[in-house]
Amino acid sequence: MSAVSSAASGSTPGRRTQESGMARKKKGTVHGWVVLDKPYGMTSTQAVGAMKRIFGTPKAGHAGTLDPLASGMLPIALGEATKTVPYVMDGDKFYRFTVRWGAETSTDDAEGEVVRASDHRPTAEDIDAVLNEFEGEILQTPPAFSAIKVDGERAYDLARAGETVELEARPVTVHRLDLIDCPDADTAIFEAECGKGTYVRAIARDMGRRLGTAGHVIELRRLAVGPFGEEDMVSLDALQAALEADGDALSLLTPIEAALANLPQLDVTSDQAVRLRNGNPVLLRGRDAPVEEDAVGVFERGRLMAIAKVEHGELKPVRLILPD
């Protein structure tokens, strides 16, 4: 058995192919990722529904909600790929967004009603001077209109019903926040690379307050999620065109294992794979074998067959991948 780094070997994460992670188990069952370039105005739930229809599969889920007024990357898992969703959701995100100064809204974006206004407009120098306050590990209060659950219900459902939603501040990580342009006095364009649970709308709201004005997001585009990059995205139009051309859009899927590109990877023999499929651990031998790992991708003859953990030198199955 050999241990390899996912960053140093194996296929390119975004390579689209009809290999291991994208086989059909039977008609109507498809396994793989659609790295969708979600259009403006579509909800994440609607996007998942569209993928179910296009690929004719009942099992699908997305890796992180993208607001209707936002566009860009919405990774959607089909079939067995849904078992790898948490590993994508835990990854960093990259956004480009535009903030309008002078108004704060109930939703912190252009969809909401104006709840506070200001005549003050910050300069580029003013903005640059406070950017570092919004980088690193910061405390952030999520927008009331968010997917966070409150007593079992989504905060946005409660807010839309007219209830007052009070969410507690929580720590989030912003790795990078850059001012890209100030097209005019009313708007500023930013790029942000951030960790799980960070709300760009909250950054706009809080920065507006810090600058002595008010602010909300008027345009938001997500360009990366976890292991998936901008080059991996496929548009809804391209999927529809493929479907109409030959009735099959499988060539536009990304394989299941791409979701695990940031995890260590292990190769196992056929006998070891049988043990894992039966729920039994496998003892790892060899000088380079890992001793402790929270999660690894396990491959048999180049095919992803399981997600496992390593404890005290033993490989223990967590989720089996069964696309065949």
Side-chain angles (χ1 to χ4, degrees):
M1 179 179 296
S2 62
V4 298
S5 166
S6 63
S9 65
S11 61
T12 302
R15 182 166 57 91
R16 298 191 183 101
T17 168
Q18 295 192 39
E19 290 179 357
S20 59
M22 299 189 325
R24 285 183 183 272
K25 184 161 58 176
K26 58 184 178 180
K27 185 177 180 181
T29 303
V30 176
H31 309 285
W33 282 90
V34 185
V35 187
L36 181 67
D37 187 350
K38 187 190 79 68
Y40 177 91
M42 174 180 277
T43 68
S44 295
T45 300
Q46 289 170 338
V48 171
M51 295 307 101
K52 286 181 176 180
R53 290 191 296 273
I54 287 174
F55 290 97
T57 183
K59 190 176 182 181
H62 64 74
T65 300
L66 195 58
D67 295 332
L69 296 188
S71 68
M73 185 176 292
L74 180 67
I76 298 175
L78 306 178
E80 288 291 281
T82 56
K83 296 177 179 179
T84 65
V85 164
Y87 304 96
V88 177
M89 290 187 68
D90 286 344
D92 292 337
K93 284 81 175 175
F94 177 57
Y95 298 92
R96 184 175 296 123
F97 62 102
T98 302
V99 175
R100 175 160 292 160
W101 307 119
E104 189 172 308
T105 70
S106 56
T107 58
D108 298 319
D109 63 15
E111 187 177 22
E113 298 179 354
V114 175
V115 295
R116 191 172 67 85
S118 172
D119 293 329
H120 177 64
R121 299 294 183 268
T123 65
E125 291 74 19
D126 294 333
I127 298 169
D128 276 328
V130 303
L131 283 180
N132 64 345
E133 298 178 23
F134 296 89
E135 292 179 318
E137 186 170 300
I138 61 174
L139 281 177
Q140 184 184 80
T141 302
F145 285 79
S146 64
I148 294 173
K149 286 190 175 181
V150 179
D151 296 328
E153 296 190 61
R154 299 291 185 183
Y156 55 64
D157 288 331
L158 298 174
R160 286 170 183 154
E163 295 189 31
T164 300
V165 178
E166 295 184 0
L167 300 174
E168 293 185 1
R170 57 184 185 171
V172 298
T173 301
V174 179
H175 301 292
R176 180 173 65 86
L177 179 62
D178 294 328
L179 174 65
I180 303 303
D181 191 19
C182 292
D184 52 55
D186 292 328
T187 55
I189 300 172
F190 298 88
E191 287 183 350
E193 183 179 351
C194 47
K196 180 181 179 180
T198 305
Y199 281 88
V200 168
R201 287 180 287 144
I203 293 176
R205 176 200 66 209
D206 294 343
M207 189 181 299
R209 294 174 182 177
R210 174 65 179 85
L211 291 166
T213 182
H216 67 279
V217 170
I218 60 171
E219 186 174 349
L220 174 66
R221 183 163 175 78
R222 188 160 67 187
L223 298 173
V225 177
F228 300 126
E230 190 172 4
E231 69 280 0
D232 300 317
M233 287 196 291
V234 57
S235 69
L236 188 58
D237 287 344
L239 288 165
Q240 294 284 11
L243 187 65
E244 293 169 4
D246 58 15
D248 195 348
L250 282 176
S251 63
L252 297 178
L253 283 179
T254 295
I256 298 175
E257 53 264 35
L260 308 180
N262 295 331
L263 296 182
Q265 297 180 358
L266 289 173
D267 298 319
V268 297
T269 66
S270 296
D271 289 342
Q272 291 169 330
V274 169
R275 285 189 57 82
L276 292 171
R277 289 193 182 97
N278 289 331
N280 298 313
V282 169
L283 181 63
L284 300 181
R285 301 180 184 275
R287 184 182 60 185
D288 298 326
V291 176
E292 301 288 336
E293 290 286 353
D294 291 333
V296 298
V298 182
F299 290 76
E300 176 193 10
R301 288 182 288 186
R303 294 168 59 95
L304 177 68
M305 58 83 54
I307 301 166
K309 61 183 177 180
V310 181
E311 290 183 343
H312 308 299
E314 282 192 329
L315 186 66
K316 300 180 178 180
V318 175
R319 301 296 299 272
L320 296 178
I321 308 298
L322 303 169
D324 296 325

